[in-house]
Amino acid sequence: MNNFELYNPVNYIFGKGQTEKLATLVPKGAKVLLAYGGGSIFKNGVHNAVTSTLNGYDITEFGGIEPNPRFETLMKAVQIIREQKIDFILAVGGGSVIDGVKFISAAVNFEGDAADILKKRILFTDLSKVIPFGTVLTLPATGSEMNSGAVVTIEATQEKLTLGGSALFPKFSIVDPTVITSLPKRQLQNGVVDAFTHVMEQYLTFPHDALLQDRFAESILKTLIEVGPNVVENPSDYKLASNFVWSATMALNGLIQKGVPSDWATHMIGHELTALYEIDHARTLAIIGPNLYKVMFETKKDKLAQYGERVWNITGNSIEEKAEKAIVKTVEFFHTMGMKTKISENAENIEKTADFIVNRFEERGWKAMGEKQNITLEKVREIVEMSY
Amino acid sequence: MNNFELYNPVNYIFGKGQTEKLATLVPKGAKVLLAYGGGSIFKNGVHNAVTSTLNGYDITEFGGIEPNPRFETLMKAVQIIREQKIDFILAVGGGSVIDGVKFISAAVNFEGDAADILKKRILFTDLSKVIPFGTVLTLPATGSEMNSGAVVTIEATQEKLTLGGSALFPKFSIVDPTVITSLPKRQLQNGVVDAFTHVMEQYLTFPHDALLQDRFAESILKTLIEVGPNVVENPSDYKLASNFVWSATMALNGLIQKGVPSDWATHMIGHELTALYEIDHARTLAIIGPNLYKVMFETKKDKLAQYGERVWNITGNSIEEKAEKAIVKTVEFFHTMGMKTKISENAENIEKTADFIVNRFEERGWKAMGEKQNITLEKVREIVEMSY
């Protein structure tokens, strides 16, 4: 097992009706920026629940944070906070809103060009230099409510980049699984596949000595497989909803990555498909993941076989046979979850996709990725072309 | 799934050689109380590693915190901290030392009779009223390094009582699995069984909707079964040591208890066996646990069957058959771990044990316990008598 540090100070408040606790969590007397996305919180009652609970607070609203939040949009919120001397941010939304708020929190007091936060991957570890924030989750998928990382897109250059650091954990996150009742089926499908792939990025590498983390990862995968296909049909079933939402948090709150190697190349390639064609994030993962496992078969076959045996109860006469069956099962699961696993089923004029992505990686100086740093740009090309 | 709050701000630092990081973790300029137990840290090199790393700090040492730490002993440390205006405590030891330090941390600024902290179960949630502390773990078992609870014995009245609250999390815990190399086999056996039973207390109740927590609990149990018998023979095998130590933390750091019912009656009865006969804590759990499952069979048989199937790969024609086999497997595992599972194998003159324990519970006003509050004092008597 690799050495690790586990630090996650988020006060994570889970369950029905927990939004009521908001007034005990937002600091008394704080000037609050209430940040949200496209306005679904007005339709599902969450905006009303939040503002009534925070009756008496000085609240400025900032809506319109888009899916794959844009640097350009977020900087408008940064300006408002600076002008109005706001000292607490409440993110009400899904991963995009929460990721956006992490960037806003970091950018307000940042000296210099705020785009450098993303371009130079600056780490935020000093609580006194960020604006504290809490979250009310309305769309489970990314785990952002219980981690300190974020992904932000610079529209001007079509770059999807990351930021993070221990100062960027939410102070609290309110997670009420009943909010998924009003979500469109497509977003629920995305949420399940996104969470599933988050686990795979941290699990599907090679056999190692971290026995407990492997079992935790398999626990999340099995739970998502058990509840995923049903929760998208019956999101008001609390048993299904609560296990889905909790699994999505646990998939990316840092726990299962401690002490183990991780891959993340599926995300790195997938981010480019979103930047290029605006394909939903989760759908890019469903396209790329299985093809990456095929191209990197020699590296990953041992872990694929373990995954097949333990998660899918696959039997077979050889490692290779079990590993191949495990990939087939994964693709079938993504299809069950409504994913179309070819780029051509999700976008048009895709002939130059591989060229574009490989060039983009080259520009950034990326030579290889993955848990063994052996997913070279040639392999990336092969993965993308296999995904057409 | 029940509503829950998950908050665990411990900076948990795991792995080989992590003690080196101590000087970056203890606040600069702090006056430190270095608290430890019977002196094993002088033999295994940990005292030397800690004090060399903290070279330059103003350190007062306080040794002699005993297994099942005594209120009377701990109050001597409280006195020293008050007199010398010490502002940070470093607990170097196992669960007893860390539990003891939690009490010390809470008692220093407590107004009134410090025994009331235990007798009145006062909850500590205000960080400004406790002395901050960190830990260096030397004996894995209790999870105390990553939770905010503690058990302290009042010697004068032979009572083993609890304290806790969100202000009593360690600021950090350094957990280097190589420290177990020098532990006696008996303590390693105890550690495995203690961690195993911690999971069982939170898992072995009745079937419920918290699918992921069940799988996490089963993951820890399977890992302890896989590594337990071998790690006591080969504690210098890092694969075994690291998985054991990490499992022991995860067994009682709060995660698996979120959203689920829990029992804890095995601990409540077991504590009395330790108070009466000084039987090692883990050994009391190995005695009581299986007999409690037998006496409460109707309540627990469904979950026992699930546990048998998933953890022990037991098959059977009925719930009852699988549940019974699961209890047998558990006792066999405890025997493999060197436990003697009868009170009479661990103590003498035990005829009045059940009377004593039932009287003690009556004096405290306890009428029933367990996840369904149906372990009445009559059931307690039956469990204890079955354990003779």
Side-chain angles (χ1 to χ4, degrees), chain A residues 1-18 21 146 171 208-213 215-220 222-224 226-227 238-239 242-243 246-247 250 253 255-256 258 310, chain B residues 1-18 21 146 171 208-213 215-220 222-224 226-227 238-239 242-243 246-247 250 253 255-256 258 310:
Chain A
M1 203 185 307
N2 300 335
N3 284 4
F4 66 83
E5 298 192 14
L6 171 58
Y7 173 67
N8 192 323
V10 178
N11 189 5
Y12 181 87
I13 299 169
F14 184 94
K16 286 180 193 169
Q18 298 282 36
K21 294 191 177 150
M146 204 181 177
K171 290 289 174 196
H208 51 62
D209 286 349
L211 308 175
L212 184 59
Q213 279 92 323
R215 290 196 172 101
F216 281 160
E218 290 154 1
S219 295
I220 303 172
K222 285 193 270 193
T223 304
L224 288 169
E226 182 177 350
V227 304
Y238 192 72
K239 175 180 177 178
S242 58
N243 281 287
W246 175 228
S247 293
M250 290 302 304
N253 70 351
L255 184 75
I256 62 169
K258 298 303 170 188
R310 294 196 191 176
Chain B
M1 203 185 305
N2 300 335
N3 284 3
F4 66 82
E5 299 191 15
L6 171 58
Y7 173 67
N8 192 323
V10 177
N11 189 5
Y12 181 87
I13 298 169
F14 184 94
K16 285 180 193 169
Q18 297 282 35
K21 294 192 175 150
M146 203 179 178
K171 290 288 175 198
H208 50 63
D209 285 350
L211 307 174
L212 185 58
Q213 280 92 323
R215 291 198 172 100
F216 281 160
E218 291 154 1
S219 296
I220 303 171
K222 284 193 272 193
T223 304
L224 288 169
E226 182 177 350
V227 304
Y238 191 72
K239 175 180 177 179
S242 58
N243 281 287
W246 175 228
S247 293
M250 289 303 303
N253 70 351
L255 184 74
I256 62 169
K258 297 304 170 188
R310 295 197 190 174

Side-chain angles (χ1 to χ4, degrees), chain A residues 18 29 49 70 86 153 171 179 182 195 199 222 273 281-282 287 365 371:
Chain A
Q18 298 282 36
R70 301 293 200 268
I86 284 168
T153 300
K171 290 289 174 196
V179 298
S182 63
V199 179
K222 285 193 270 193
L273 292 182
H281 172 62
I287 294 166
E371 69 275 10

Side-chain angles (χ1 to χ4, degrees), chain B residues 334-351:
Chain B
F334 289 161
H335 288 163
T336 305
M337 295 308 306
M339 301 289 118
K340 292 177 177 168
T341 52
K342 291 180 183 302
I343 303 174
S344 55
E345 295 171 308
N346 292 273
E348 292 175 358
N349 304 320
I350 62 163
E351 299 76 20

Side-chain angles (χ1 to χ4, degrees), chain B residues 54 152 184 217 275:
Chain B
L54 292 182
V152 169

